[in-house]
Amino acid sequence: MPINTTLSITVSLNGNSATVNVLGAKSGATRAFTMTTPDGTFTSQTTNVFATLSNGSHVATVVETDAIDGTETTVEKAFAVNVPPAPSMTFQQAPAFLNAVYNPMPVVLRAAPYAIGDLFYVEVWSTPGKAVHPVNNSPERAVLLQTLRSNGDGLGTASFDISGVLQSSFEAGGAYVPGLSTAFQKDETCYQGFFVRCGIIRFDAANKEIKTQLLSTNVQFALRAAFPLATTASLTRYFYTGDDTIPFLTNLPYAARRKRSEPTLLGLFAPLADTASLNLNAELVFRDGTSEVVALAGNQTASGGVYLFTVMAKNFQGHPKYDQLKRFSVWVNQTPIDGTAFRLSDTLEITVEDDVDQPVTVLFMNRKGTWDSLHFNRDTDTTIKLKSLAFANGYGQRTYQVSTDTTLTYYSGWLTADEYEWLKDLMTSPVLYINGSYYRQEDATFEKTTRLGLFTIELNVKPANEENTIKL
């Protein structure tokens, strides 16, 4: 016969889990466990562990049934659960999928709970891969660029600007120079994949730093560009979301005049989830009023990124009505591997003009991160200034060093008001390539003729590396 005992229970807590321990249980008896929660609901079960309890007052009940006579003994135990909420962090403002790296890229963090003295941190990581997908949750072989730290305010909020960290990832000498004879190419130097990890830094009793990561983003992309500040909140206009076509990465105005052999570089930021084909198409308009749609450059792509198309009127010289070409419009179609082609880009119209004799091609890195080109006149002014240094030897002076300073001036043709605004934008370019060589830009002069409404530009440059000194 079982030995009668006095039944009692205790409750041990582990976070928001409770274990009901039975003391003085009868041998062979069965027990049912019930937990009453703060809102009055209850849960009954045969096991003694209750998990994921909410904060507040609870009552644990055990009903023991005697195995011989079936008598029931009921005991209760009141207790409270008080587990501090797990620290969490949210973005008030976070990096979008696409960012213009030479604009502010604010990250505003809010943490809860927050104690005065806690530090916020943001780690900025760069990814080596150049495959641009709208969602990428598995960055591999990432490199930590920098960790930013800041004190929070009384509301547990801190602000950062991560654009400066990512600007340093675009090397001055690492820019890709597009080939003007290449119809379809990819520029992987004008964008950078990155993600951020955020959290709180606290200090223990020994003043040792304890870092707790609370948030990590998917892979984003920063474009070597400075879009108008009004668009920094969302740059979805510059990559395809299924709602609308996207603009080319150039400020070249619609219906701009271009010489027949003058290359026009059209960049496009295209995130592709699957292998697809990008194809440049053109509608040719002739002086007799007729038009014709033709296919130009294109190719199958393995991943998204910034793709460049080189287009010029000279591409159509095999057409029987090439001499009558008045203007043409270009756009890019995307064809998914298992779908129907759709128009990906905006349409840009180009007005055709005759060539200048022996033009000089100048490449400019533009505000949108890619490239523009312009033909200047071959007429060039070259100025060489000599500077000599001398020392006195008691009988006279003797020259011991002579250095030269070379400046080249190129002259544009007449430009319209719209083209002038575009070229004024190009004058801010940090990189100039002239006939395949790198030059440093000097002061530029803009001349406006009000009577004709036209403009000209004088482009003054110096060789980037000039051997200009002879010394005794």
Side-chain angles (χ1 to χ4, degrees):
M1 177 177 293
I3 301 175
N4 290 324
T5 60
T6 303
L7 187 68
S8 65
I9 60 174
T10 62
V11 178
S12 57
L13 295 175
N14 182 14
N16 62 352
S17 295
T19 301
V20 180
N21 307 295
V22 180
L23 305 177
K26 292 181 179 180
S27 176
T30 59
R31 284 165 289 279
F33 299 85
T34 301
M35 183 67 66
T36 305
T37 59
D39 60 3
T41 61
F42 60 88
T43 301
S44 296
Q45 60 189 44
T46 58
T47 57
N48 67 330
V49 177
F50 294 84
T52 63
L53 299 177
S54 59
N55 282 353
S57 298
H58 294 71
V59 176
T61 304
V62 176
V63 177
E64 184 180 76
T65 303
D66 190 285
I68 297 175
D69 57 15
T71 58
E72 294 183 347
T73 304
T74 302
V75 291
E76 294 182 345
K77 178 73 174 180
F79 66 97
V81 176
N82 185 18
V83 179
S88 63
M89 180 167 286
T90 58
F91 278 125
Q92 277 183 254
Q93 192 170 2
F97 173 74
L98 178 65
N99 301 265
V101 75
Y102 290 104
N103 286 85
M105 293 170 57
V107 175
V108 181
L109 302 176
R110 181 182 290 274
Y114 176 75
I116 299 297
D118 292 348
L119 293 178
F120 288 79
Y121 76 87
V122 174
E123 295 177 345
V124 185
W125 293 74
S126 68
T127 59
K130 295 294 184 177
V132 177
H133 299 298
V135 177
N136 187 344
N137 291 305
S138 56
E140 298 177 356
R141 305 185 310 281
V143 176
L144 177 62
L145 293 177
Q146 192 173 336
T147 301
L148 304 177
R149 302 168 183 240
S150 176
N151 288 309
D153 60 18
L155 298 176
T157 301
S159 301
F160 300 85
D161 183 359
I162 63 173
S163 62
V165 178
L166 288 161
Q167 287 170 18
S168 63
S169 66
F170 293 90
E171 299 179 8
Y176 169 81
V177 182
L180 297 179
S181 60
T182 305
F184 182 68
Q185 52 197 306
K186 187 178 183 182
D187 182 356
E188 293 193 341
T189 66
C190 69
Y191 62 93
Q192 174 65 60
F194 75 97
F195 62 94
V196 297
R197 290 174 176 164
C198 314
I200 290 289
I201 297 174
R202 295 187 172 97
F203 297 89
D204 62 13
N207 207 31
K208 182 180 178 182
E209 183 179 287
I210 301 174
K211 182 184 286 188
T212 304
Q213 179 182 311
L214 300 176
L215 187 65
S216 181
T217 68
N218 292 333
V219 174
Q220 325 286 327
F221 291 90
L223 190 61
R224 183 191 59 210
F227 291 128
L229 288 175
T231 67
T232 54
S234 174
L235 296 182
T236 55
R237 176 72 180 96
Y238 289 91
F239 66 92
Y240 188 74
T241 59
D243 299 326
D244 200 0
T245 56
I246 55 179
F248 290 109
L249 294 170
T250 176
N251 285 324
L252 181 71
Y254 191 82
R257 303 172 306 156
R258 306 289 284 163
K259 308 296 188 293
R260 288 180 177 267
S261 60
E262 189 171 36
T264 301
L265 291 161
L266 302 176
L268 206 65
F269 186 92
L272 306 173
D274 302 303
T275 302
S277 295
L278 296 180
N279 297 96
L280 185 70
N281 301 276
E283 182 181 16
L284 312 183
V285 179
F286 304 98
R287 290 192 178 94
D288 61 5
T290 61
S291 63
E292 181 180 342
V293 175
V294 298
L296 291 174
N299 208 337
Q300 183 169 298
T301 60
S303 64
V306 173
Y307 287 92
L308 289 173
F309 295 88
T310 305
V311 61
M312 61 185 84
K314 192 176 179 181
N315 295 146
F316 315 114
Q317 62 184 355
H319 195 282
K321 297 172 67 174
Y322 172 70
D323 291 339
Q324 300 180 44
L325 184 60
K326 182 179 180 180
R327 65 180 184 274
F328 62 94
S329 301
V330 290
W331 66 92
V332 174
N333 282 347
Q334 177 179 326
T335 306
I337 196 169
D338 57 352
T340 304
F342 60 89
R343 185 168 296 198
L344 181 67
S345 76
D346 289 351
T347 300
L348 182 66
E349 183 175 290
I350 294 173
T351 303
V352 178
E353 290 207 335
D354 291 334
D355 286 327
V356 297
D357 291 335
Q358 298 181 358
V360 175
T361 301
V362 182
L363 271 176
F364 300 86
M365 184 185 291
N366 67 32
R367 285 183 185 269
K368 294 188 176 180
T370 55
W371 297 86
D372 283 301
S373 69
L374 184 69
H375 274 177
F376 282 78
N377 254 308
R378 67 171 176 170
D379 301 322
T380 303
D381 293 341
T382 302
T383 303
I384 300 177
K385 295 181 180 179
L386 298 176
K387 183 177 181 180
S388 61
L389 299 176
F391 66 91
N393 60 5
Y395 299 97
Q397 289 188 329
R398 183 173 181 179
T399 298
Y400 69 91
Q401 179 175 314
V402 177
S403 60
T404 63
D405 188 9
T406 304
T407 302
L408 295 88
T409 303
Y410 294 92
Y411 301 92
S412 75
W414 291 108
L415 310 166
T416 65
D418 288 341
E419 293 166 347
Y420 167 77
E421 291 300 322
W422 167 60
L423 287 164
K424 188 169 64 174
D425 176 68
L426 295 188
M427 289 300 103
T428 63
S429 176
V431 178
L432 295 179
Y433 281 90
I434 301 175
N435 285 341
S437 298
Y438 174 59
Y439 285 82
R440 293 181 293 117
Q441 185 173 194
E442 296 292 296
D443 295 338
T445 301
F446 301 85
E447 179 183 335
K448 176 180 179 181
T449 302
T450 306
R451 181 174 59 87
L452 299 175
L454 297 174
F455 304 82
T456 61
I457 288 179
E458 294 180 10
L459 181 65
N460 299 309
V461 297
K462 291 186 175 182
N465 299 293
E466 185 180 10
E467 297 180 2
N468 59 354
T469 300
I470 298 178
K471 190 175 182 179
L472 291 178

